Amino acid sequence: GSDGRVGLYVPESHRSWCSSSGENDNRAVTIECACDPKYPYTFNKVVYKTLIDLCVDICKRNGKTKLIWFNDKDKTLAYKPKSNEMLLSIHKWFGNTTCPNKWMLDHMDDLEKAVNKKLQHKYMIQFGCFKSKDNAARLVRALAGRGYDCSIVKDDGYYCVRYGKFKSKTKAEKMKEYLINKL
């Protein structure tokens, strides 16, 4: 929806009948996005962010760490993805349609990059989030004085102070417990 709502109409474990290709429908998770009613059918920021987050979620739930967009039907269909990879395909490759719209088609490369950036994001410990960047910077300086190299990440209008890049959630949680007891 234009407000970022996500609705599941066909469970991912079932086949949808939407791309005009049984072969594609049997291997795809299909996504429809709300857009402006006029050409070039732009997505608003909320819809685009939700699409990125949904793609990340789908990849993670399926054990994928890389999303691939070739922008070429033959190359995509010929490619045998590695066990950690998921491919992007588009409806118009399989049926007489303009789906995806021009705006989305122009942003497929950006979608691939944004999803992959989030998929490569390692676990971090968050010390706090502030509306004021100055408050976040004060915390970073205080933690640096204790030997912790933290960064400030802007997230949904807040300045979040984060530490580390852990390869697993378990390692991040162990460090968090250590820091709670030490700090």
Side-chain angles (χ1 to χ4, degrees):
S2 60
D3 61 355
R5 281 177 301 117
V6 175
L8 176 65
Y9 299 99
V10 178
E12 290 175 23
S13 59
H14 293 102
R15 173 190 170 174
S16 68
W17 296 79
C18 62
S19 73
S20 307
S21 166
E23 181 182 4
N24 188 62
D25 287 342
N26 278 321
R27 68 180 190 173
V29 176
T30 57
I31 302 170
E32 295 287 335
C33 296
C35 62
D36 289 344
K38 295 180 182 174
Y39 184 86
Y41 309 106
T42 306
F43 291 10
N44 70 38
K45 288 179 184 178
V46 173
V47 170
Y48 189 59
K49 182 184 180 309
T50 301
L51 174 61
I52 292 167
D53 292 343
L54 180 59
C55 288
V56 168
D57 180 64
I58 291 167
C59 286
K60 284 184 176 181
R61 283 186 287 106
N62 287 281
K64 309 303 180 186
T65 58
K66 186 175 183 182
L67 186 66
I68 299 173
W69 167 244
F70 289 124
N71 194 20
D72 181 277
K73 177 183 177 181
D74 294 331
K75 188 172 183 178
T76 300
L77 295 177
Y79 186 77
K80 301 291 181 213
K82 297 175 186 160
S83 62
N84 69 317
E85 296 175 335
M86 187 171 277
L87 300 174
L88 284 169
S89 62
I90 55 176
H91 188 179
K92 72 183 198 172
W93 288 347
F94 306 102
N96 186 18
T97 180
T98 59
C99 181
N101 61 46
K102 177 175 177 15
W103 187 91
M104 185 66 246
L105 197 54
D106 290 346
H107 285 80
M108 293 295 285
D109 288 326
D110 296 331
L111 174 65
E112 175 195 42
K113 287 176 190 160
V115 170
N116 285 328
K117 182 177 180 182
K118 286 190 170 211
L119 288 172
Q120 298 309 311
H121 182 74
K122 303 298 180 189
Y123 291 92
M124 301 177 86
I125 297 168
Q126 184 165 290
F127 281 100
C129 287
F130 305 89
K131 288 219 176 227
S132 163
K133 189 174 184 179
D134 290 339
N135 289 342
R138 273 195 284 285
L139 179 57
V140 167
R141 285 191 300 275
L143 291 167
R146 298 181 102 175
Y148 298 99
D149 184 21
C150 295
S151 60
I152 298 174
V153 178
K154 192 165 184 186
D155 190 356
D156 276 341
Y158 289 89
Y159 297 94
C160 300
V161 177
R162 296 182 180 160
Y163 170 73
K165 290 186 178 173
F166 302 92
K167 292 185 178 184
S168 73
K169 185 175 181 179
T170 302
K171 288 181 181 182
E173 287 174 345
K174 283 182 183 178
M175 177 56 85
K176 179 180 114 183
E177 289 303 315
Y178 170 80
L179 291 170
I180 287 170
N181 292 324
K182 187 171 182 183
L183 300 173

